[in-house]
Structures are given as C-alpha cells and as structure tokens.
Amino acid sequence: MDEQHHKRIFVVLHQVVVILLVMVVVVVGPSSCVKGGEEEDRILELPGQPKVSFQQFSGYVTVNKVAGRALFYWLTESSQNSLRKPLVIWLNGGPGCSSVAYGASEEIGPFRVNRSASGLYINKFSWNSLANLLFLETPAGVGFSYTNRSSDLHDTGDRRTAKDSLEFVVQWLERFPRYKNRELYITGESYAGHYVPQLAREIITYNTNTKYPINLKGIMVGNAVTDNYYDNLGTVTYWWSHAMISDQTYRQLISTCDFHRQKESDECESLYSYAMDQEFGNIDQYNIYAPPCNNSDGSAATSRRAMRLPHRPHHPAVRQLSGYDPCTEKYAEIYYNRPDVQKALHANTTGIPYKWTACSEVLNRNWNDTDVSVLPIYRQLMANRIRVWVFSGDVDSVVPVTATRYALAQLKVATKIPWYPWYVKNQVGGWTEVYEGLTFATVRGAGHEVPLFKPRAALQLFKSFLSGSPLPKS
C-alpha cells in the first residue's frame, strides 16, 4: 500500500471523527463536552430538599492562582422562564458574612432550613420567581470561599474584595456562556453597601477595556453602610429619637465622638459601650421591636453575624426575630456543616481547616481597607446610567434609616417624584422618593434584613426595581 493511499485513509478517518464529535455536541450539548463546564457544578438535589422545577448549580471559581484564592457560589435559576430572566448577584456584608447563610437561606433564596436542620422548605416569596439568583461568598475566607495563603485572612479589605469579585464574574460568565449577554443586577445589604457599588465600578472600568462588556444594568442595596460620618451621626440620632439612649448619653456622644475618624477615641468607645450595655437593654439591635433569640435559660443569644462596622466599636448584638423563627442562623450552621450537604453543593472540596460559619470573626477583626464613603461611586454609576436603588428597613438600629437619609442627602440630586407612601396588599409597605438617577424607599416595620421580616414587601420592591418603575401608589 503506497504512501498516498495511507494519506487518503487518514483524511477520511479524520473527517469521520470530526463528524462524530459534531454529532455528540449537537445531541448531548456543548456543556457536557467541556471539562470544568457548568455541568460539573450542577446540583442534583440537596439533602431534605423539596422537589423544585428550577435548576441549581454551585462550586468554586479560582480568582487568584498564586495565592490559591477561590470563591464559592450558589446559583438558583428562575422558577419561570429562566432563559428570559436577568441574572442577579446577591452579596451579604459583615464584613465577613456569608450570602449562603443569609441571602440564600433566610432572605431571598428559594429555601429555608428547618428547625432540626434535617432539610429545607420552600420560601414562597423567593426572588427567583423574578430572576436567576447568584449568591456569592466573598471575599476569600467567607463561608466556603477559601485561600491557601493564610496571611490573606489577616490582611483584606474593600479593594481586594472588589477585584476578586470582578475576576469571579468574568470567569463565571465563561463557565456559563448563556448568561454572557443577559442583563445583570447586583444587590445586597449591610456592609455590601460597599461591595455592591465597588463591584459595579470595577465592571464599568472592565467594560471600557474589553470587546465583550458585561451587561450591568443596576444596583440595589438595603440598610447599607454608605458614609462613615453620616452613618455614625444618623445611627446615634436614631438611638436617641427611638428612646434607646438618654438625652445625656446622646449629648455626650455628639460632643465627644469625631464621626469622621476611622477609629474612635477611647472616651468615645466607652460611651458606645455604656449605651449598648447599660441603656439598650436586652433588645435585638437589628429589629428593635422584636424579642431576641434567647438561650434556654432566658439569656440573650449573641450572634456571630452581628455586623461590626470597621469605624464603630466591636460589640456583639443579639440575634433577631423574624416572622418565622429568630434562631434560623443556628439551623443553617448545623445544616451547612453536614458532609452530605457539602458534597451535594460541591463545597469544601479542599478540606478547609475550620468549620463553616455564617460569619468570619477573623476577617471582620482584620479588615484593613475600607472606603470612607461610597457616595462618589454612586455619582459615577448614575453618570453611567446605572440604575441605583437604596432601601431601608425602618426598625433597624445598626444601619438605620436616618443614617441612610443623611448620607443620600449629600448627593444633592433633584427630586423627580416627591415623597409618598407605597403599597403592597392594600397596606402601606413604606415610603419612597424618586430622584434623578436614584430611588430611595423605606420598608415599614422591617429590620436590618428586610426580606426576612417583610418578605412580601421586599418582593414588590425587587419587582419594581427590575422593571425600573416607581413603587405602587395604591
């Protein structure tokens, strides 16, 4: 057999192989042919999970190979027409708290953890009825996200978090290409008042240097850390106006504390301690009108979640009561430490040398970089026609409504629709005002985690945000 004949046979065989590969891709689907693609992240079913119609995926994206930093995510696709729905990223704050623990498991996600931590039940007000929800645990060291460089846990902050989160989004979209051109919204609460606008700014910068821009449309933050000075001034004012502290303590705080400073004087910190320890009493700072989650002996159960602002003394706050159960965080910590749950989630695959916790004390205590104010970022986002919504549960004393109103007033933007009550189920859901480039809304009777306390109102808020329309007047 001559050499020419050999070549012809080789060409024919090569063509056959190519045709077979094309047929496999068409029949099976491209994701099944790509190692490391989305199929490897598919969740078949979580332990104790009720049957659902939507798809779920979870896993890791390495955002820094040198340090070995990898961020964990959990995607719950929309329960209706997911291919036509936007992608919404949810971030929790702390800094150091888990979006799986809070956003996914007791706020906007499709499931709640039951009391025995034996399984899950449906949240009928889940935001995945309107969008595909991507819960991201950021930065490395939060929840299941990890780093192989231990020094990262003792030296982190806003800048690295924003850059790692951008790297996550870019790589995640490569893994899930069907989301590449989808509308993207970033949402969150508390210290995510920093994470959300900072990530949005990183995306805007990224979009100026790429042929394939990320389709960012808007951001929404709740009870959000915004500006050091006005957050602190507004918080102390809220305490006094809601009779949580005495006239004397209020006057001393105002005259003694320099709210512009990142770290307060010892005298100021002592006043904060006195107010919290002696004058607040056994209340839940995250919802001042709800009884806290108490231990079996009647004493207050402290929460690891307690959001400790870098510019405020570190004091634990007791856990809040929701319309459901004040102790849901305890159930989450049992459930997500179960080996069968971690296996189903493709989590803890490297054997993290510590238990999964709702919040990382190590990260919180070593937060070394924080923006003094995110108001300049708001201005930048508004100039780029990014939709900006800010909401505030009005019975939260940690990042209260007065703090947010003081901060937003500094933007000095024109009013489009004056202050009015908005409605849900024929009841006042809260109050709102629409400005040029920004909408502000309160949620009546909601604590720090608005969707936990007022799930129906929060869902209406989310619906209006996605549509870009004012909240209903009747």
Side-chain angles (χ1 to χ4, degrees):
M1 196 177 288
D2 61 12
E3 185 178 343
Q4 198 67 26
H5 187 63
H6 275 294
K7 285 182 178 177
R8 281 198 297 272
I9 293 173
F10 176 79
V11 169
V12 171
L13 287 172
H14 180 265
Q15 290 172 337
V16 170
V17 169
V18 169
I19 290 169
L20 287 171
L21 283 172
V22 169
M23 289 174 65
V24 167
V25 169
V26 170
V27 174
V28 180
S31 60
S32 300
C33 299
V34 180
K35 189 176 186 334
E38 66 175 68
E39 277 304 312
E40 293 191 359
D41 288 357
R42 182 183 293 279
I43 297 172
L44 299 178
E45 190 175 80
L46 294 169
Q49 174 203 301
K51 296 292 183 184
V52 293
S53 59
F54 55 87
Q55 298 186 99
Q56 301 181 77
F57 301 85
S58 62
Y60 287 97
V61 171
T62 299
V63 294
N64 187 298
K65 291 182 179 177
V66 175
R69 288 201 300 275
L71 301 185
F72 181 80
Y73 81 91
W74 180 5
L75 172 72
T76 59
E77 293 196 319
S78 180
S79 53
Q80 302 166 15
N81 298 320
S82 65
L83 291 174
R84 297 182 181 180
K85 297 293 174 63
L87 177 65
V88 173
I89 297 175
W90 174 274
L91 304 170
N92 274 94
C97 293
S98 161
S99 298
V100 169
Y102 299 107
S105 300
E106 61 179 49
E107 295 187 75
I108 69 169
F111 304 120
R112 296 278 183 269
V113 181
N114 64 26
R115 290 189 173 202
S116 63
S118 61
L120 307 168
Y121 62 96
I122 294 291
N123 167 25
K124 66 178 181 178
F125 296 108
S126 173
W127 288 9
N128 82 325
S129 62
L130 302 172
N132 301 288
L133 304 180
L134 178 59
F135 299 96
L136 174 60
E137 293 193 310
T138 189
V142 171
F144 290 121
S145 297
Y146 66 88
T147 175
N148 293 330
R149 188 165 62 190
S150 58
S151 60
D152 284 349
L153 303 178
H154 295 86
D155 180 25
T156 192
D158 287 10
R159 283 190 292 272
R160 183 190 294 158
T161 300
K163 292 188 181 304
D164 280 1
S165 297
L166 171 66
E167 182 64 22
F168 169 87
V169 172
V170 171
Q171 288 198 41
W172 189 89
L173 289 173
E174 288 297 322
R175 189 177 300 181
F176 289 80
R178 58 199 162 90
Y179 281 100
K180 274 191 175 181
N181 297 313
R182 207 82 61 94
E183 288 189 349
L184 173 68
Y185 298 88
I186 312 173
T187 59
E189 70 189 11
S190 195
Y191 197 79
H194 279 212
Y195 298 161
V196 170
Q198 288 164 347
L199 174 55
R201 178 176 60 183
E202 291 292 327
I203 289 174
I204 288 173
T205 303
Y206 171 84
N207 283 350
T208 62
N209 300 308
T210 181
K211 293 179 181 178
Y212 309 102
I214 296 167
N215 191 17
L216 177 66
K217 291 295 184 182
I219 69 164
M220 182 168 70
V221 290
N223 291 79
V225 179
T226 305
D227 179 280
N228 278 11
Y229 177 76
Y230 292 104
D231 284 353
N232 280 295
L233 178 62
T235 298
V236 170
T237 302
Y238 185 92
W239 293 350
W240 175 76
S241 65
H242 286 72
M244 294 167 64
I245 59 174
S246 64
D247 293 354
Q248 181 182 3
T249 298
Y250 172 68
R251 287 193 295 267
Q252 287 179 312
L253 282 164
I254 293 296
S255 63
T256 303
C257 298
D258 180 358
F259 296 139
H260 287 102
R261 293 176 59 173
Q262 287 286 91
K263 180 169 172 51
E264 289 289 0
S265 66
D266 291 344
E267 186 180 3
C268 175
E269 292 206 13
S270 295
L271 285 169
Y272 270 113
S273 297
Y274 179 81
M276 292 180 180
D277 299 339
Q278 303 300 318
E279 295 189 339
F280 280 16
N282 178 22
I283 65 164
D284 175 5
Q285 295 176 37
Y286 293 86
N287 182 334
I288 63 172
Y289 299 129
C293 172
N294 286 330
N295 295 319
S296 56
D297 63 358
S299 63
T302 58
S303 165
R304 290 195 192 93
R305 174 181 77 69
M307 192 208 66
R308 302 174 177 89
L309 304 187
H311 54 281
R312 193 178 293 157
H314 301 306
H315 290 283
V318 290
R319 185 69 177 91
Q320 85 274 333
L321 176 71
S322 70
Y324 301 93
D325 189 321
C327 304
T328 54
E329 179 187 313
K330 294 179 179 179
Y331 317 145
E333 293 211 353
I334 297 171
Y335 186 75
Y336 292 113
N337 274 296
R338 285 173 48 178
D340 58 340
V341 173
Q342 294 182 1
K343 184 178 180 181
L345 282 170
H346 320 118
N348 197 14
T349 52
T350 59
I352 301 169
Y354 46 81
K355 286 183 68 175
W356 182 91
T357 56
C359 294
S360 166
E361 289 291 329
V362 174
L363 274 180
N364 190 277
R365 302 282 178 180
N366 293 282
W367 201 259
N368 296 324
D369 151 38
T370 181
D371 272 351
V372 171
S373 176
V374 297
L375 293 175
I377 306 180
Y378 280 7
R379 293 188 182 97
Q380 182 182 350
L381 298 179
M382 291 156 62
N384 280 272
R385 299 189 179 282
I386 302 298
R387 187 179 306 154
V388 178
W389 279 44
V390 181
F391 64 92
S392 189
D394 62 13
V395 295
D396 171 31
S397 74
V398 177
V399 189
V401 61
T402 43
T404 301
R405 294 181 76 179
Y406 281 173
L408 293 181
Q410 308 314 306
L411 292 171
K412 295 179 171 57
V413 285
T415 300
K416 284 176 66 177
I417 305 176
W419 194 267
Y420 69 90
W422 64 273
Y423 285 81
V424 58
K425 276 283 191 178
N426 299 317
Q427 296 288 323
V428 173
W431 291 267
T432 182
E433 190 155 40
V434 181
Y435 305 99
E436 291 287 349
L438 184 144
T439 293
F440 172 66
T442 73
V443 183
R444 186 167 69 108
H448 189 68
E449 294 172 274
V450 168
L452 174 67
F453 293 100
K454 296 291 180 179
R456 188 188 298 275
L459 186 60
Q460 176 60 60
L461 185 74
F462 183 55
K463 183 178 181 180
S464 296
F465 164 67
L466 287 181
S467 66
S469 54
L471 286 154
K473 290 188 174 183
S474 62

